[in-house]
Amino acid sequence: MVSEVLKNRNKLKQNKLDPNFVRKRASREKITRNILFIIATIIVIIGAFTMVFPYIWMFLSSLKEPLESVIIPPTFFPKDPNRGIFGEAFNDTRLNLLNATKNTLVIEVIVITVGTFVSTLCAFSFAKMKFKFKKTLLIILMTSMMIPYAAVMLPQYNIYTELGMVGTDNWFINLLPLILPGLFGNISMTFFLITSMSSSINDALIEEAKVEGCSWFRIYWSIALPLSRPAIAAQVIFWFVGIWNDYFAPSLYLMDPESRTLQVAITLLTSGSTNINDMPLMYACAFLSSIPTIIIFILCRKAFINMNLNSGVKG
């Protein structure tokens, strides 16, 4: 029994040293890698097509005639493309897309600029600073994430109404109920950055900066922000998409047509009894509203990759 085992081991060693055996084994491994690569490529292509198909469908359906856009079975390509549909979307007085886009961008710029600063400052404080009741405050902050928006919706509405921010003649004042909460930061971003800053910023680097005479704010601005930039960029993208696609809160506060955001304006085409003639226009508006989010993702796609790679201090 032992001798047979030894013989098999010797035979295996000889095969490993045999050039023909090595070539055959390398060839089999290469074939296996190629097969796995082809399978993975097919899966990725199918996944990418699944993601892109709704946008292709929206674009092609917007070019169709009203009856053709709702016909059963549906047609994929328009028979007589209406190339002026996107111009009609911008010129439609019911929607006023340019004004709605302006209102949405005003909310985006103010909320993300101020809110990101507050969120990163708060995350840095909890991640690297030592102060009294730190754990207690962190638990309180975490507990606030468990409160659903529906529980605070009515009290907030009553407060903003009493402050004169709902239903006014000033379009910017009407946007304040959507802007003010975001100025205090994003809780999800704060907790994500607490974890990111705790792992990506070396304590020795902070101690060295303190020895050099840097204040806490200087450390935050010159060290914490640059090292956490990929994680911050990824969270900003998520926040941007969330605000851009938000419908519930704007539909609650924005009664004046001049204050409507983009999603509220587009929903006018689907509220009540939808006219069949508005179907291509609705597809065109939905396609146009998705373009900024796609552009933001393409421009900042590296942030998603670097967010997982930023696990230590570089240099």
Side-chain angles (χ1 to χ4, degrees):
M1 184 70 181
V2 176
S3 60
E4 291 180 359
V5 172
L6 293 175
K7 287 180 180 179
N8 291 332
R9 286 183 178 179
N10 293 330
K11 186 176 180 180
L12 183 61
K13 290 181 180 179
Q14 291 177 357
N15 289 336
K16 288 183 178 180
L17 297 175
D18 186 7
N20 294 328
F21 176 81
V22 173
R23 282 194 297 268
K24 290 181 181 179
R25 184 175 180 178
S27 178
R28 286 196 299 267
E29 291 178 352
K30 184 177 180 180
I31 293 173
T32 303
R33 286 195 301 268
N34 291 337
I35 292 174
L36 293 176
F37 176 78
I38 293 173
I39 294 174
T41 303
I42 293 173
I43 294 174
V44 170
I45 292 174
I46 293 174
F49 179 78
T50 305
M51 297 292 182
V52 175
F53 180 77
Y55 297 99
I56 299 175
W57 179 262
M58 282 193 300
F59 176 74
L60 294 178
S61 297
S62 66
L63 301 177
K64 298 176 182 178
E65 296 297 328
L67 289 176
E68 188 182 3
S69 64
V70 296
I71 194 173
I72 301 296
T75 58
F76 190 71
F77 294 100
K79 296 179 180 179
D80 186 16
N82 180 14
R83 296 180 177 85
I85 188 64
F86 296 104
E88 295 176 15
F90 283 107
N91 295 327
D92 195 306
T93 56
R94 295 172 301 169
L95 303 178
N96 201 356
L97 283 185
L98 291 178
N99 184 70
T101 303
K102 178 209 59 174
N103 295 335
T104 306
L105 289 176
V106 168
I107 298 174
E108 293 272 15
V109 172
I110 298 176
V111 169
I112 290 181
T113 302
V114 180
T116 300
F117 173 74
V118 174
S119 295
T120 53
L121 196 61
C122 180
F124 174 73
S125 301
F126 279 110
K128 293 302 177 182
M129 295 181 66
K130 296 179 181 179
F131 50 89
K132 289 184 179 181
F133 308 113
K134 175 180 175 179
K135 292 183 179 180
T136 304
L137 292 174
L138 192 60
I139 292 174
I140 294 174
L141 189 63
M142 186 181 299
T143 305
S144 65
M145 296 181 64
M146 303 177 187
I147 302 175
Y149 179 71
V152 298
M153 175 183 66
L154 185 58
Q156 279 188 353
Y157 183 83
N158 291 333
I159 291 173
Y160 291 131
T161 302
E162 291 296 327
L163 293 174
M165 299 180 183
V166 179
T168 67
D169 296 331
N170 190 302
W171 67 272
F172 183 76
I173 293 178
N174 291 333
L175 297 179
L176 289 180
L178 304 174
I179 294 175
L180 292 179
L183 300 183
F184 297 94
N186 186 304
I187 298 179
S188 301
M189 174 187 287
T190 300
F191 276 99
F192 180 85
L193 292 178
I194 288 175
T195 305
S196 176
M197 289 183 177
S198 298
S199 59
S200 64
I201 303 174
N202 197 327
D203 291 334
L205 188 60
I206 294 180
E207 293 299 326
E208 183 178 348
K210 290 168 66 177
V211 171
E212 295 293 332
C214 294
S215 62
W216 278 111
F217 185 80
R218 179 65 183 277
I219 296 173
Y220 154 78
W221 188 262
S222 301
I223 298 176
L225 284 185
L227 291 177
S228 305
R229 190 177 299 149
I232 295 172
Q235 292 300 306
V236 165
I237 294 171
F238 290 133
W239 202 0
F240 177 90
V241 174
I243 297 175
W244 187 267
N245 293 328
D246 187 20
Y247 167 75
F248 184 70
S251 66
L252 184 65
Y253 292 107
L254 304 180
M255 303 176 184
D256 183 16
E258 293 298 321
S259 303
R260 289 175 181 148
T261 57
L262 189 59
Q263 301 305 324
V264 175
I266 294 175
T267 312
L268 294 175
L269 296 174
T270 61
S271 60
S273 56
T274 303
N275 190 343
I276 189 174
N277 294 324
D278 291 335
M279 291 301 295
L281 185 62
M282 184 176 64
Y283 280 120
C285 292
F287 178 79
L288 289 173
S289 67
S290 66
I291 291 177
T293 57
I294 297 174
I295 294 175
I296 290 294
F297 176 78
I298 292 175
L299 295 177
C300 304
R301 65 188 183 277
K302 291 183 179 180
F304 291 97
I305 300 173
N306 293 336
M307 182 177 63
N308 295 323
L309 298 178
N310 190 25
S311 58
V313 179
K314 300 179 182 179

